Amino acid sequence: MEALEDQDVSSEEKQKMLEMLDRLEKEEVQNSDSNSDEGEELSERLSGLNLDTDSEKIWNRLTSKEQAQFNQMMKDGRLGNLVEVWTPWWDVKKVKIRDVDSEKLDDKTPDVLSKIPDISKLLTKSKPSADIRNNLVNVLFAYVFVCRLYNGTHWDCPRESALKLVKGSDVLSKNSVCSSTSEAIQLGLINSECKQSQEFLIELVSDVTKILRGPGRGEELKFVMAALSEILQLLKKCHTLYKKDIKVYPASSTDDREEKQLLFLAIKKLEFYLGWSQKCGMILHSVIPELRLEHGRLKEEFQETIQVKKSIERNLSQLRPPREDSKLIEELS
């Protein structure tokens, strides 16, 4: 039933799950020698139910046999294969489509905000810190983590995804300052909000690199500006939801008010980073070689860890004591 209740699974994907269950049931009936009536078809029993809100009712209308089949498909991975893995917009290969004399590009990049603060007006008495580029790497790491974690559906749950993004970045949530690219990545890897497999987290470094590199062709800053724009809009959406909740329920918990304040401060930082990137963003390209080295180093360390683990497991299997029923020394009578 967990798969039906999963908020990260779209209605279309839930529909595919039930269609597979229905198809399996029909195949069993066709292959059966029995001509007895099995009752209403699955589609009839689920008619009028909402796949997103009526998970419990849907489960209760499944027969015990169907529930068993559903659980089995969960265990053997067949349901997991129905969930299409999201392709990030920064990873899309642009394909030129000729239309008469024009060429169009398949571009799913988020829109860049039209109103971006002027960094020169924000910094009237000082120069931008050299660490801003490293801080941005940490922010982008949290961003690609959330996008991958929610399989591209982060806008379906703006409150949860925005908070995870902010808390997943020490720069946004703890005012940390990263003195190097490596430190920015390491803070992301050890952040308690970013709990996933090491292999998953390491590949996020490659995602950040692709965003910083951009699509090229004179648009080197397009991906960075697009990513920061989407982050800012997501945080503002979440902040608005908190404001509405607190207005409707004045006695909201202290946690709600603290998270609202955390979002407010993060929004101000994102506005600053957007302004900085618009004017000084080309500096970000200087960290790309460092990110590639960091990605290669992390992959190498991960592979070495895997090999050491396998070696230890082999040695342990050889050192296992003999079974108790095996006689090493036979007593002489």
Side-chain angles (χ1 to χ4, degrees):
M1 183 173 171
E2 288 81 1
L4 292 174
E5 294 177 335
D6 193 347
Q7 296 299 314
D8 296 338
V9 178
S10 68
S11 299
E12 291 79 8
E13 290 163 345
K14 291 177 181 177
Q15 182 64 41
K16 288 181 181 178
M17 294 178 186
L18 296 174
E19 285 175 357
M20 174 182 272
L21 191 62
D22 189 36
R23 187 169 63 252
L24 286 174
E25 186 177 21
K26 288 178 179 178
E27 288 176 358
E28 284 191 4
V29 172
Q30 290 175 355
N31 295 331
S32 173
D33 293 333
S34 173
N35 294 320
S36 61
D37 185 10
E38 294 289 337
E40 287 184 303
E41 289 192 2
L42 181 62
S43 57
E44 295 174 351
R45 280 179 275 133
L46 301 184
S47 177
L49 296 182
N50 188 305
L51 293 178
D52 292 324
T53 60
D54 298 329
S55 300
E56 187 173 353
K57 290 181 180 178
I58 291 173
W59 183 255
N60 290 335
R61 292 193 185 183
L62 298 180
T63 65
S64 57
K65 185 177 180 180
E66 288 168 344
Q67 290 177 355
Q69 287 178 324
F70 191 90
N71 288 329
Q72 182 58 41
M73 288 190 292
M74 279 286 292
K75 291 179 181 178
D76 60 28
R78 278 180 288 172
L79 290 185
N81 293 333
L82 293 176
V83 180
E84 184 178 356
V85 177
W86 173 69
T87 301
W89 55 264
W90 59 82
D91 210 22
V92 174
K93 293 182 179 179
K94 293 186 175 182
V95 181
K96 293 184 178 181
I97 305 173
R98 295 191 178 276
D99 180 17
V100 192
D101 295 326
S102 63
E103 289 183 341
K104 297 181 180 180
L105 295 175
D106 181 19
D107 193 353
K108 297 180 181 178
T109 308
D111 293 331
V112 176
L113 293 175
S114 56
K115 294 182 179 180
I116 297 175
D118 186 348
I119 190 67
S120 61
K121 293 181 179 180
L122 296 176
L123 292 175
T124 57
K125 297 181 180 180
S126 60
K127 293 183 178 180
S129 169
D131 294 325
I132 291 178
R133 56 185 177 178
N134 300 320
N135 292 346
L136 273 170
V137 168
N138 181 260
V139 172
L140 289 174
F141 184 90
Y143 168 68
V144 297
F145 171 79
V146 167
C147 289
R148 292 279 192 184
L149 181 69
Y150 287 93
N151 201 34
T153 64
H154 43 288
W155 276 104
D156 293 344
C157 44
R159 189 192 297 266
E160 294 80 2
S161 56
L163 283 174
K164 185 166 284 292
L165 195 160
V166 172
K167 293 179 180 180
S169 166
D170 284 26
V171 169
L172 294 179
S173 61
K174 301 178 181 178
N175 292 319
S176 296
V177 176
C178 305
S179 58
S180 67
T181 304
S182 177
E183 182 182 1
I185 295 299
Q186 289 300 323
L187 285 176
L189 293 174
I190 64 176
N191 189 290
S192 59
E193 289 291 327
C194 302
K195 289 183 178 179
Q196 287 294 314
S197 69
Q198 193 71 3
E199 189 173 12
F200 175 90
L201 295 175
I202 290 172
E203 288 312 306
L204 298 182
V205 181
S206 178
D207 287 331
V208 174
T209 304
K210 291 174 183 177
I211 291 178
L212 293 179
R213 187 180 61 207
R217 300 177 183 177
E219 296 182 306
E220 286 78 7
L221 295 180
K222 181 178 180 180
F223 283 3
V224 171
M225 299 298 290
L228 294 177
S229 293
E230 183 174 37
I231 296 171
L232 182 55
Q233 291 180 86
L234 185 65
L235 300 193
K236 284 185 174 181
K237 175 68 175 178
C238 182
H239 188 258
T240 300
L241 293 174
Y242 270 100
K243 285 174 64 176
K244 289 181 178 178
D245 287 350
I246 292 174
K247 188 175 181 180
V248 175
Y249 307 104
S252 299
S253 67
T254 304
D255 289 343
D256 285 349
R257 296 181 182 275
E258 288 178 352
E259 288 175 347
K260 176 176 171 287
Q261 180 65 14
L262 181 65
L263 286 164
F264 174 78
L265 296 175
I267 287 170
K268 292 303 177 184
K269 282 189 178 181
L270 259 299
E271 290 174 343
F272 174 82
Y273 288 149
L274 261 172
W276 180 90
S277 297
Q278 187 177 53
K279 187 172 183 179
C280 313
M282 291 303 293
I283 297 175
L284 289 167
H285 282 243
S286 65
V287 306
I288 291 177
E290 298 174 41
L291 280 172
R292 286 172 174 162
L293 287 172
E294 187 70 13
H295 181 248
R297 184 185 67 79
L298 290 170
K299 284 189 71 173
E300 186 176 345
E301 288 181 355
F302 178 72
Q303 292 300 326
E304 289 177 356
T305 302
I306 295 297
Q307 293 302 319
V308 170
K309 183 180 178 180
K310 288 181 178 179
S311 177
I312 292 175
E313 289 174 349
R314 284 196 301 269
N315 291 335
L316 285 175
S317 64
Q318 294 173 0
L319 293 173
R320 284 175 186 165
R323 295 183 309 179
E324 292 182 2
D325 58 348
S326 63
K327 294 182 180 181
L328 297 180
I329 301 177
E330 291 201 8
E331 296 181 3
L332 294 175
S333 55

